[in-house]
Amino acid sequence: MSEHDTAASPTDPAAPQPPYASGPAPYNVVSPQQRAIWETKGRRAIGFGVAWLVGGLLVTVVTYSQAQGGGVYFVAWGPVLYGVYRIVTGRQLLNKSRS
């Protein structure tokens, strides 16, 4: 009998398992530190988004009120859209950190 005949078969439960079958892949596991980072970034993004949104609305309202007697006013839709974008992405990060 040779050495190869006495080795356990791969389907034998007593056979040693390969190291890659020991648990979930490390890239699928999210650490608590990563979740904390996502939550911090999400809250910060929402804060900056609100600031951009309010700033854009404020510029629009101020220039519109100054142009009441006739004149030109500025609609700051860029900062408003950017603020909405930051709020949405911040909310997604918060949801990602909590799931």
Side-chain angles (χ1 to χ4, degrees), residues 20-90:
Y20 55 82
S22 63
Y27 54 84
N28 287 336
V29 178
V30 179
S31 69
Q33 293 87 4
Q34 183 62 45
R35 290 187 189 279
I37 290 169
W38 287 339
E39 184 164 353
T40 302
K41 285 185 175 185
R43 289 182 187 277
R44 185 173 295 157
I46 290 173
F48 280 116
V50 168
W52 277 98
L53 179 70
V54 169
L57 289 175
L58 187 63
V59 167
T60 301
V61 168
V62 167
T63 58
Y64 182 74
S65 67
Q66 290 178 348
Q68 283 296 320
V72 178
Y73 62 95
F74 184 71
V75 178
W77 59 271
V80 171
L81 282 180
Y82 182 66
V84 169
Y85 166 76
R86 290 291 302 255
I87 291 170
V88 169
T89 56

Side-chain angles (χ1 to χ4, degrees), residues 1-8:
M1 207 173 227
S2 70
E3 290 178 29
H4 299 290
D5 293 337
T6 60

